[in-house]
């Protein structure tokens, strides 16, 4: 049984998708804790309602990024994580924090990395005029929004799309690929070699939404 600790900052819909898939598919895993850097993160309510231990480590209570990361890691480590899952966790992490969880920390970013790292990815995609967009699950490294890619989902960019309509289309696919990637990790099906991630059973690591083919 693998322990997963999920970090959120807000809505927590990816956390919810992972929780629901885990329940429905009986993974050999449990969500040991959900931790937020904001006490008002909506996702904390979902976690508590479903009996998942939920905690806050409030970043504004610390005078430096490093102090916050040390406190956050202490809270995470109380739950003996095999895997740390960043699910809409809106904090830049220090290299020593990332190093501590090396090879056992995943993130989802709402773009087809390496395109559009950082914030406002849907706006960046619309402004660049790309015709496909999507989301990426990757191992976290000290390089923000980079790191070995585990899975990607591709969606079309349609004429008339707004940031909102595009983000809704991408989010629906995030809810498919993130649970899938976490399941691969807990079932020990991911192999990280020379910075590239493969699945042991050659499962498809991409998802292409209709309209892109
Ligand atoms: C998602 O789009 C995720 O890719 C990004 O932040 C958003 C979080 O949404 N990192 P939620 O909190 O999982 O609903």
């Amino acid at each position: 049984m693998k322990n997963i600790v999920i970090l959120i900052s807000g809505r927590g819909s990816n956390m919810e998708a992972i929780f629901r898939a885990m329940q429905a598919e009986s993974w050999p895993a449990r969500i040991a804790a959900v931790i937020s850097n904001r006490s008002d993160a909506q996702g904390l309510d979902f976690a508590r309602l479903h009996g998942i231990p939920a905690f806050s480590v409030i970043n504004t209570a610390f005078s430096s990024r490093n102090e916050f990361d040390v406190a956050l890691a202490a809270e995470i480590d109380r739950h003996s994580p095999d895997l740390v899952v960043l699910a809409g966790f809106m904090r830049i992490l220090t290299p020593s924090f990332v190093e501590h969880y090396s090879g056992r920390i995943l993130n989802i970013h709402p773009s087809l990395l390496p395109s559009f790292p950082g914030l406002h990815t849907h706006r960046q995609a619309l402004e660049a005029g790309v015709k496909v967009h999507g989301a990426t699950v990757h191992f976290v490294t000290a390089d923000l929004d980079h790191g070995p890619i585990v899975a990607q989902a591709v969606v079309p960019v349609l004429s008339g799309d707004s940031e909102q309509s595009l983000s809704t289309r991408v989010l629906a696919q995030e809810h498919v690929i993130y649970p899938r990637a976490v399941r691969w990790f807990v079932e020990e099906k991911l192999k990280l070699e020379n910075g590239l991630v493969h699945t042991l059973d050659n499962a498809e690591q991409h998802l292409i939404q209709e309209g892109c083919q």
Side-chain angles (χ1 to χ4, degrees):
M1 195 58 110
K2 295 254 192 313
N3 284 331
I4 301 174
V5 172
I6 304 185
L7 305 189
I8 62 169
S9 294
R11 180 177 55 187
S13 68
N14 278 289
M15 169 206 67
E16 189 176 329
I18 291 165
F19 173 77
R20 293 196 191 285
M22 176 181 302
Q23 299 273 84
E25 299 165 6
S26 309
W27 303 353
R30 66 185 189 110
I31 301 178
V34 169
I35 302 170
S36 176
N37 64 310
R38 300 177 56 118
S39 58
D40 61 352
Q42 265 174 272
L44 291 173
D45 297 335
F46 176 90
R48 293 191 178 115
L49 260 176
H50 291 81
I52 304 167
F55 306 92
S56 305
V57 181
I58 309 299
N59 57 283
T60 50
F62 297 87
S63 52
S64 71
R65 192 176 288 286
N66 191 52
E67 276 176 46
F68 169 69
D69 279 9
V70 167
L72 179 63
E75 180 58 47
I76 294 170
D77 289 346
R78 276 199 319 118
H79 308 284
S80 313
D82 297 291
L83 174 65
V84 176
V85 170
L86 307 183
F89 188 64
M90 304 302 286
R91 294 282 311 168
I92 293 173
L93 297 162
T94 52
S96 55
F97 179 97
V98 172
E99 178 57 34
H100 180 61
Y101 298 106
S102 177
R104 54 186 180 120
I105 180 166
L106 293 174
N107 181 42
I108 190 157
H109 182 76
S111 79
L112 292 172
L113 291 172
S115 292
F116 314 134
L119 296 173
H120 310 301
T121 55
H122 309 304
R123 189 187 311 164
Q124 291 189 58
L126 289 171
E127 285 173 359
V130 292
K131 307 308 172 204
V132 294
H133 183 43
T136 303
V137 177
H138 63 97
F139 280 101
V140 175
T141 61
D143 202 0
L144 181 70
D145 296 331
H146 283 77
I149 291 173
V150 178
Q152 288 189 304
V154 185
V155 306
V157 179
L158 304 177
S159 67
D161 259 337
S162 61
E163 268 182 79
Q164 182 56 47
S165 62
L166 191 52
S167 91
T168 302
R169 191 173 309 121
V170 171
L171 189 66
Q173 302 309 310
E174 293 183 33
H175 295 164
V176 179
I177 59 168
Y178 213 3
R180 195 175 286 179
V182 172
R183 182 177 178 173
W184 286 333
F185 186 95
V186 300
E187 293 184 340
E188 300 182 0
K189 287 187 176 154
L190 292 179
K191 194 165 70 177
L192 182 53
E193 225 171 39
N194 303 323
L196 302 181
V197 183
H198 306 282
T199 55
L200 290 182
D201 52 7
N202 291 321
E204 283 192 349
Q205 288 169 272
H206 63 276
L207 183 75
I208 301 183
Q209 197 193 35
E210 214 171 304
C212 289
Q213 287 150 317

